[in-house]
Amino acid sequence: MTIPTVTLNDGNQIPQLGYGVFKVPPADTERAVAEALEVGYRHIDTAAIYGNEQGVGAAIAGSGIPRDELFVTTKLWNDRHDGDEPRAAIGESLDKLGLDAVDLYLVHWPTPAADNHVHAWEKLIELRDAGLTRSIGVSNFLVPHLERIVEATGVVPAVDQIELHPAYQQREVTDWAAANDVRIEAWGPLGQGKYDLFGVPAVAEAASAHGKSPAQVVLRWHLQHGFIVFPKSVRRERLEENLDVFDFALTDAEVAAIDAIDPGDGSGRVSAHPDEVN
Ligand SMILES: NC(=O)c1ccc[n+]([C@@H]2O[C@H](COP(=O)([O-])OP(=O)(O)OC[C@H]3O[C@@H](n4cnc5c(N)ncnc54)[C@H](OP(=O)(O)O)[C@@H]3O)[C@@H](O)[C@H]2O)c1
């Protein structure tokens, strides 16, 4: 099975579907990532704060898969934006991952109260130029944060990784990203299991029409919108299910019905708001 790739604004390619390891317990991460690689995933999304980079690295080392066939993302945590901390932080992440460079390094949150995301972004540009990461991007950045870093540096992030699922579609950010050649990575693509996404008629009806699971329909909706996704599961059968989304396509009407799930008032958000994380 071939997973489609998306071309980033720096010319690098990223597999559109990957495996995210938020809340995969550190002691279980090597097993889970090894299974993900066995069933065909080639893109892993982790973060320093997840505490499981070492397990990701062990699974990569044990897999025997050539480095250039893998895409690995990790993220700079909020308390390491200042001074030369970003360089120290990526060094620690690379040691744990057992890699010379990651494929994508992200500023994890804008931390507006600390007012230091422009500095963090300037540091990520240096890390990319030093060859420690091939691409750089941000996460949880809203339009004012995005505009500020681009205005300050002239460097447009390759991606913005944001909470995005049918109940919370963040159209202001996705419109800005489309206009500025930034790819959207949708975190919590299944709504983190925190609302009854799978029972929503538009999802349930499309699932039954295509003989697919509701999770597969939601992932397909993301892919057809061009979003990059990396659903998390610790269960092998779900790893396989979440990857098995390339043999069907939602109709335009089915996509539109899922588009209409978002009430548009922000009430579908299931996790923290970027202004509140500092
Ligand atoms: N940048 C950020 O601030 C940020 C924040 C959050 C997440 N992320 C990234 O995005 C990735 C994905 O988001 P997420 O892990 O928060 O949420 P998610 O992928 O939307 O949902 C994960 C939940 O869905 C369940 N699940 C997975 N596949 C399923 C299926 N086929 N059917 C039914 N349930 C299923 C999982 O349970 P089981 O494990 O029990 O199967 C887990 O409880 C993360 O792992 C992380 O890499 C980034």
Side-chain angles (χ1 to χ4, degrees), residues 12 14 28 33 41 49 58 64 68 90 97 104-105 139 180 183 206 221 233 240 246 254 256:
N12 292 331
I14 183 171
D28 195 28
V33 175
Y41 291 84
I49 195 67
D68 63 2
I90 197 171
L97 290 163
L104 178 61
Y105 197 52
S139 178
N180 289 277
R183 304 290 166 264
W221 173 84
S233 178
E240 289 174 343
F246 298 107
E254 288 166 339

Side-chain angles (χ1 to χ4, degrees), residues 50-247:
Y50 301 169
N52 55 19
E53 289 169 311
Q54 215 140 13
V56 172
I60 289 173
S63 72
I65 298 169
R67 175 67 185 91
D68 63 2
E69 291 177 21
L70 293 170
F71 192 101
V72 181
T73 299
T74 194
K75 313 183 189 92
L76 175 72
W77 187 239
N78 302 343
D79 59 1
R80 308 205 69 178
H81 288 186
D82 291 326
D84 214 22
E85 276 293 288
R87 183 174 284 264
I90 197 171
E92 290 162 26
S93 288
L94 292 173
D95 281 350
K96 288 179 183 155
L97 290 163
L99 302 175
D100 297 330
V102 283
D103 297 282
L104 178 61
Y105 197 52
L106 306 181
V107 180
H108 204 145
W109 291 88
T111 62
D115 194 23
N116 54 10
H117 53 259
V118 170
H119 177 79
W121 184 240
E122 288 166 348
K123 286 290 167 184
L124 258 65
I125 296 166
E126 288 178 22
L127 299 177
R128 181 198 59 187
D129 292 348
L132 299 173
T133 178
R134 295 192 177 88
S135 296
I136 51 175
V138 295
S139 178
N140 300 301
F141 275 45
L142 303 177
V143 171
H145 311 128
L146 291 160
E147 285 182 335
R148 196 162 165 226
I149 60 168
V150 174
E151 197 181 299
T153 65
V155 179
V156 181
V159 306
D160 190 8
Q161 181 178 126
I162 54 173
E163 179 184 336
L164 196 159
H165 43 77
Y168 189 54
Q169 296 178 33
Q170 300 238 44
R171 293 199 180 108
E172 201 182 324
V173 180
T174 59
D175 286 351
W176 189 94
N180 289 277
D181 202 19
V182 174
R183 304 290 166 264
I184 291 291
E185 296 192 327
W187 68 251
L190 303 174
Q192 295 188 322
K194 290 182 182 164
Y195 75 102
D196 184 23
L197 176 59
F198 300 158
V200 175
V203 173
E205 284 162 18
S208 111
H210 291 278
K212 288 287 184 178
S213 72
Q216 290 171 320
V217 164
V218 172
L219 293 172
R220 191 69 217 172
W221 173 84
H222 283 283
L223 297 172
Q224 288 183 219
H225 271 296
F227 305 141
I228 297 158
V229 279
F230 22 81
K232 170 264 178 187
S233 178
V234 290
R235 309 181 204 195
R236 188 183 183 107
E237 65 276 13
R238 286 182 174 172
L239 288 172
E240 289 174 343
E241 176 185 334
N242 295 343
L243 202 55
D244 183 18
V245 291
F246 298 107
D247 62 350

